[in-house]
Amino acid sequence: AQRVTQPEKLLSVFKGAPVELKCNYSYSGSPELFWYVQYSRQRLQLLLRHISRESIKGFTADLNKGETSFHLKKPFAQEEDSAMYYCALLSGSARQLTFGSGTQLTVLP
Amino acid sequence: EPEVTQTPSHQVTQMGQEVILRCVPISNHLYFYWYRQILGQKVEFLVSFYNNEISEKSEIFDDQFSVERPDGSNFTLKIRSTKLEDSAMYFCASSEARDGRYFGPGTRLTVT
């Protein structure tokens, strides 16, 4: 069965510091991975997907199949990046989306 | 930019009552979903819906739950005989193809 692990429930960094939110997955097939962000009291928003290899709001994520990871990175964190971040895996013929438990990022001034 | 909308934003109901949560997916999307997030826990898949029928459901989605697309725009989740443990945030989502979902703002359901 597929699983997504986000080992850090909480992560605090200072403004301007680099940030990395970890995500590991377990899936026997070819994974499609996403990062979603949820700002305070707002909806889950699609931040980026690995197949498009894009950079959104300065964030990037590289799929590492050897390490089964899809860590989210940003070189210089901003206070407005403070939010809940969820890694998600799309898998199977049913294309089910499985979420990790989320990491609450706080960027301190 | 088009968005998924959900009503109500907060629903309080008594145990044993039925509730209907409403969603309006993005208009050209073909796949619709309901997810649930119990406070402090991860977002969990409930059901997916395509071509006017359920395409996939989780073990959470038992006979207490049903979904419907009563017209061309609304997508509803009905919970019969609510229990305390049904208290959660319920998110509707839609997608054009079976890839990244676009989520609604959620309905907070409180069962007392």
Side-chain angles (χ1 to χ4, degrees):
Chain A
Q2 63 276 11
R3 186 158 54 173
V4 178
T5 304
Q6 292 180 250
E8 303 139 327
K9 249 183 132 82
L10 303 170
L11 182 64
S12 294
V13 299
F14 285 102
K15 177 181 163 183
V19 62
E20 181 180 59
L21 292 94
K22 291 186 168 47
C23 171
N24 289 89
Y25 67 90
S26 171
Y27 179 54
S28 56
S30 188
E32 287 183 56
L33 286 143
F34 301 82
W35 276 98
Y36 281 84
V37 60
Q38 188 175 31
Y39 299 102
S40 181
R41 295 198 186 88
Q42 293 187 30
R43 70 186 68 210
L44 280 159
Q45 297 174 37
L46 180 61
L47 182 61
L48 50 80
R49 60 188 84 190
H50 93 268
I51 54 171
S52 47
R53 300 186 63 80
E54 57 207 337
S55 173
I56 304 290
K57 300 184 180 183
F59 285 98
T60 58
D62 289 316
L63 176 61
N64 186 323
K65 290 188 179 178
E67 295 182 0
T68 60
S69 68
F70 188 56
H71 303 327
L72 183 69
K73 299 176 187 178
K74 184 168 182 176
F76 307 104
Q78 303 300 313
E79 287 181 71
E80 55 265 31
D81 296 328
S82 295
M84 193 74 167
Y85 290 81
Y86 293 95
C87 183
L89 166 69
L90 196 66
S91 59
S93 57
R95 311 281 283 168
Q96 189 165 329
L97 194 64
T98 302
F99 284 86
S101 51
T103 298
Q104 177 68 49
L105 173 66
T106 302
V107 181
L108 304 166
Chain B
E1 189 177 322
E3 288 185 332
V4 176
T5 59
Q6 288 184 245
T7 53
S9 55
H10 191 190
Q11 173 90 48
V12 181
T13 190
Q14 288 192 322
M15 203 164 50
Q17 297 297 303
E18 175 182 285
V19 294
I20 297 177
L21 310 183
R22 292 185 165 79
C23 168
V24 178
I26 293 173
S27 63
N28 63 331
H29 285 185
L30 301 175
Y31 299 86
F32 314 117
Y33 313 87
W34 283 101
Y35 290 82
R36 178 181 83 174
Q37 186 177 30
I38 294 170
L39 187 64
Q41 299 185 25
K42 64 172 70 178
V43 178
E44 300 173 291
F45 168 74
L46 291 178
V47 66
S48 60
F49 192 86
Y50 171 70
N51 203 24
N52 280 322
E53 59 183 28
I54 290 172
S55 49
E56 182 82 8
K57 60 182 181 178
S58 71
E59 56 211 26
I60 303 169
F61 194 88
D62 58 21
D63 292 342
Q64 186 194 4
F65 295 89
S66 62
V67 289
E68 199 176 32
R69 188 153 160 82
D71 53 45
S73 58
N74 289 284
F75 179 51
T76 62
L77 174 70
K78 184 190 288 187
I79 309 174
R80 284 180 282 275
S81 190
T82 49
K83 303 184 284 248
L84 292 175
E85 53 265 37
D86 294 328
S87 294
M89 197 76 168
Y90 288 82
F91 293 104
C92 174
S94 68
S95 63
E96 196 171 358
R98 293 196 298 169
D99 56 5
R101 285 26 164 188
Y102 291 85
F103 283 81
T107 293
R108 179 167 299 286
L109 177 65
T110 302
V111 182
T112 60

